[in-house]
Amino acid sequence: MNINDDEAIGLLNRLLERLHQADLTNFGSHLQIVYVASGAQHVENQINIGKTLPSPPCVGREKETSNLPEALSTEAAMALWKKAQAAGWVDANYQPLISRTQAALLADAMAERLGIKEKWKTFEALWNRKYMRSDYNLALTRKGSLDFQAELKLLFG
C-alpha cells in the first residue's frame, strides 16, 4: 500500500484520537509512534495509556512558533497568511495543513503575489521540506489541483 506523507499523518492522527477515546483504563500500556517522512522529517509521539490519558498530540505539526523570513512577514504577506489560516490551509505557526502538492501551489501563489524570487528556498526553509519544486510540478499534472488553484485565485485575488 503506497500512501503519501499527509495521508500517513492523517491515519496516525485518527489512530491516536481513537485510542484517546477508547476506555483503556484496565490496560496500562505505552504507545510510541515514530514516523520518518520523506524530506528527512522525523515525527515522534508517545502516549501513555492508563488511568489518565493525555489529549492526543497532533502528529507532524510544529508546536513552536515559526520564525517567518523577512519576505513572508511583511504586511502584505501577513494578509495572505491570515486568509490561508482562515481557509484551513496553514496553522497558527504558518505550517501547512494540506497535502505537499497543495502546499507547493500555495507557496507559488504567495511568492507570485509577494514578488519572492527564491520561492522554493524560502518555503522549504520555513516548512522544513525538500523538493517543493517537484511537488509543484507533480501538482500541475493532477486534475484535482485545478480546483485548488481556483480556490487560491478566489481567496488571494
Side-chain angles (χ1 to χ4, degrees):
M1 175 162 115
N2 290 329
I3 59 174
N4 66 35
D5 295 341
D6 293 324
E7 291 170 328
I9 289 169
L11 289 170
L12 290 173
N13 276 331
R14 285 198 301 276
L15 170 66
L16 292 173
E17 287 170 3
R18 287 191 179 163
L19 286 172
H20 179 69
Q21 293 169 355
D23 182 14
L24 301 175
T25 55
N26 294 332
F27 305 100
S29 62
H30 176 81
L31 173 67
Q32 180 177 6
I33 297 174
V34 178
Y35 174 67
V36 179
S38 63
Q41 295 175 359
H42 179 82
V43 178
E44 183 171 338
N45 280 298
Q46 296 184 17
I47 295 180
N48 291 313
I49 299 172
K51 293 196 177 198
T52 57
L53 289 172
S55 7
C58 187
V59 177
R61 307 288 181 228
E62 297 298 323
K63 293 193 174 155
E64 298 175 10
T65 303
S66 300
N67 292 325
L68 287 174
E70 188 176 323
L72 293 174
S73 60
T74 64
E75 193 173 319
M78 296 312 292
L80 294 178
W81 283 123
K82 189 174 183 176
K83 289 178 181 182
Q85 287 173 341
W89 298 337
V90 295
D91 65 16
N93 297 319
Y94 314 105
Q95 297 300 304
L97 299 171
I98 51 183
S99 71
R100 288 185 64 96
T101 53
Q102 289 175 326
L105 292 170
L106 173 62
D108 179 68
M110 288 184 72
E112 181 180 319
R113 283 155 183 82
L114 299 171
I116 299 172
K117 292 181 182 175
E118 294 185 347
K119 60 185 164 191
W120 305 126
K121 182 178 179 180
T122 303
F123 281 93
E124 284 175 350
L126 175 64
W127 293 340
N128 191 27
R129 292 195 172 172
K130 294 182 179 181
Y131 314 116
M132 285 191 68
R133 173 69 183 191
S134 296
D135 293 337
Y136 176 76
N137 290 336
L138 180 60
L140 295 179
T141 68
R142 293 186 175 172
K143 185 178 178 182
S145 295
L146 293 175
D147 294 335
F148 188 71
Q149 285 177 308
E151 288 180 52
L152 282 167
K153 286 181 185 176
L154 266 175
L155 192 67
F156 289 166

